[in-house]
Structure formats: C-alpha cells, structure tokens
C-alpha cells in the first residue's frame, strides 16, 4: 500500500537508498531478505513452522543485540565510563526480557502437532547451537572482569561495594545491573525449560540426543556467582552486628 493510500498525502519522495524494495524503509531494513528467511507456505510441513521460525529468528536478532551491547559496555568499563556502560547493559537486559516473553508464543502450539508435524523436520537443530545465546555467553564474563578491575582499583572488596554503596554509587549500581543481567538470563533458562517440558515432556531425549533433564541442571548456572554469594556474606555480617 502506498503512502497516498495510507495517509492521503502524495507519495512524492521516492527511495534514494540502494537496494531492492519500493521504499527506503524496505531498503534500509532489507525487508525483502528478512521476510524471505521463513519457509513459504508450500514448503511447510505444518502450519506452525512459521510461528516456530519467526519466534526463534527474532530471538536470535535480540540475542545478537544483547551480546553486542554487553561487549560495548565492557569496553566502556575499561575506559571507566560507568554511566554509559550501565545504559548499554540495560539494553542487553531488555533484549533478554523480550526473548523470554516471546517464549509464550511456543506454548500456543499443540504438543501433539509440534511433535508429529514440526519436530520431525528440525533435523538435529537444538537450542544448544544458538549462535546468539552462545555469543552472549562468550562475551559476558569479560564484563565481570572489567567490573572487578574497577572495584580493585578503588581498593574495595565486593562486600565493601555493597556496605559503602552510598560512597560508591556507580560501582554499586553497576554490580546490581550485572546481577540483573544474570537474573534475566536465569529466568530465560527456567522459562525455556518449562516451555520444553510443556511441549515435548521432561523425560524425553532432545533432537541432538540430549536428555531434557540436562536442561534442568543448567538452570542454576550463573554468569557472576560471586555477585550472588556476596548476599550471603552481607546477611551474616548484618547478623553479627545485631
């Protein structure tokens, strides 16, 4: 539909960017390519293949952004720009929240129709091979290293960052932002496990021969376990001072 058909205004500004598409919107976003990445209707083994592909492909895009923002934030930390880094981390956090919400779409598939109609055409496809998730896992530990380098430069223990938070607001907020990123990743892991259990069951073998219960063992993994352990120390210190 043209701009005139949508708004009543003359469509007198034609595209100026190179590439296919009838508008600069289509050319900049490369929508011809983007919308051709899903199986056409005639090639789908089941109607829900479109839902399955769109959910996972869009998740990969958000994970790509999340990993890029974490990497950017880590560079900003190394330059001691904590405020900019916190903003970048918050983008990554929101991206992980969005992919967690998208999992709701998968629960709208019938377990029988998925296992009999969609799963057989996935080959050995598995979430373990997600390039976006694996890239996020790769870059995130560097963020923790950069945080601890800043903390040590101030001659602060992790306990000090929390007990003296009013004196070191940026470091404290950074610690809590990293904790939130870790928490959101954990929530995604849990939600993903529950979706898998709801659709194919919790006592079956996945597409790569991996038992589903193995996912349950990964749920407790954390990027920054020390940021969780420090809470135990703080609680014990508070009790000792009562």
């Amino acid at each position: 539909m043209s701009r005139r058909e949508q708004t009543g205004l003359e469509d007198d500004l034609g595209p100026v960017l190179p590439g296919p598409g009838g508008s600069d919107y289509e050319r900049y976003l490369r929508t011809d390519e983007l919308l051709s990445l899903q199986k056409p209707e005639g090639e789908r083994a089941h109607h829900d293949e479109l839902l399955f592909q769109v959910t996972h492909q869009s998740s990969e895009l958000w994970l790509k952004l999340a990993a890029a923002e974490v990497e950017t934030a880590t560079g900003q930390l190394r330059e001691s720009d904590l405020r900019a880094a916190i903003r970048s981390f918050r983008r990554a956090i929101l991206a992980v929240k969005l992919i967690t919400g998208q999992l709701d779409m998968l629960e709208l598939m019938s377990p029988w129709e998925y296992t009999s109609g969609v799963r057989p055409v996935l080959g050995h496809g598995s979430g373990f091979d997600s390039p976006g998730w694996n890239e996020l896992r790769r870059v995130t530990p560097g963020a923790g290293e950069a945080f601890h380098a800043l903390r040590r430069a101030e001659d602060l223990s992790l306990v000090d960052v929390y007990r003296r938070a009013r004196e070191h607001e940026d470091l404290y907020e950074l610690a809590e932002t990293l904790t939130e990123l870790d928490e959101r990743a954990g929530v995604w892991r849990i939600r993903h496990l529950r979706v898998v259990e709801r659709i194919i069951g919790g006592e079956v073998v996945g597409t790569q021969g991996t038992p589903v219960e193995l996912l349950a063992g990964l749920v407790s993994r954390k990027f920054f376990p020390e940021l969780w352990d420090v809470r135990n120390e703080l609680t014990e210190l508070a009790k000792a001072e009562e």
Side-chain angles (χ1 to χ4, degrees), residues 125-171:
S126 167
F128 287 112
D129 295 327
S130 163
W133 181 253
N134 288 332
E135 180 66 5
L136 183 62
R137 289 176 58 240
R138 184 187 72 81
V139 301
T140 300
E145 293 167 8
F147 161 71
H148 289 300
L150 289 169
R151 170 183 63 74
R152 287 190 293 268
E154 295 289 334
D155 196 26
L156 296 171
S157 69
L158 197 48
V159 168
D160 292 334
V161 171
Y162 280 86
R163 294 190 74 182
R164 298 168 59 188
R166 298 300 180 185
E167 302 170 50
H168 303 278
E169 285 280 1
D170 285 351
L171 274 175

Side-chain angles (χ1 to χ4, degrees), residues 27-232:
R27 294 183 180 187
Y28 180 77
L29 294 178
R30 299 166 67 175
T31 54
D32 281 359
E33 294 174 65
L34 180 65
L35 300 178
S36 69
L37 296 177
Q38 301 78 43
K39 283 186 178 181
E41 185 175 3
E43 294 180 13
R44 296 175 204 150
H46 189 278
H47 171 78
D48 286 349
E49 275 200 87
L50 181 60
L51 181 155
F52 192 84
Q53 283 193 309
V54 167
T55 300
H56 285 82
Q57 287 177 348
S58 56
S59 293
E60 289 296 334
L61 290 173
W62 285 120
L63 285 166
K64 179 178 181 177
L65 177 64
E69 293 294 346
V70 168
E71 200 157 33
T72 295
T74 301
Q76 290 164 334
L77 290 182
R78 289 171 179 154
E79 296 174 357
S80 299
D81 193 347
L82 275 68
R83 300 312 307 172
I86 288 169
R87 186 166 61 250
S88 297
F89 282 128
R90 294 208 174 281
R91 292 180 178 184
I93 288 166
L94 182 54
V96 176
K97 289 174 68 175
L98 288 168
I99 66 167
T100 303
Q102 286 181 186
L103 290 172
D104 290 357
M105 288 295 293
L106 299 180
E107 292 189 339
L108 297 176
M109 296 187 298
S110 154
W112 171 249
E113 291 184 6
Y114 170 78
T115 53
S116 64
V118 179
R119 197 176 184 221
V121 300
L122 298 182
H124 297 298
S126 167
F128 287 112
D129 295 327
S130 163
W133 181 253
N134 288 332
E135 180 66 5
L136 183 62
R137 289 176 58 240
R138 184 187 72 81
V139 301
T140 300
E145 293 167 8
F147 161 71
H148 289 300
L150 289 169
R151 170 183 63 74
R152 287 190 293 268
E154 295 289 334
D155 196 26
L156 296 171
S157 69
L158 197 48
V159 168
D160 292 334
V161 171
Y162 280 86
R163 294 190 74 182
R164 298 168 59 188
R166 298 300 180 185
E167 302 170 50
H168 303 278
E169 285 280 1
D170 285 351
L171 274 175
Y172 167 75
E173 187 175 349
L174 176 58
E176 285 297 275
T177 301
L178 291 174
T179 303
E180 185 175 357
L181 176 61
D182 208 348
E183 180 181 3
R184 291 299 172 185
V187 170
W188 181 87
R189 286 188 178 102
I190 294 168
R191 186 76 183 93
H192 179 253
L193 172 64
R194 292 292 175 258
V195 170
V196 170
E197 290 177 330
R198 179 167 172 174
I199 296 174
I200 68 171
E203 300 177 3
V204 299
V205 174
T207 49
Q208 290 189 342
T210 306
V212 169
E213 60 254 30
L214 181 63
L215 287 175
L218 300 176
V219 163
S220 61
R221 287 193 178 182
K222 296 180 174 67
F223 288 128
F224 314 113
E226 70 279 7
L227 289 175
W228 299 90
D229 291 342
V230 74
R231 271 91 175 149
N232 298 319

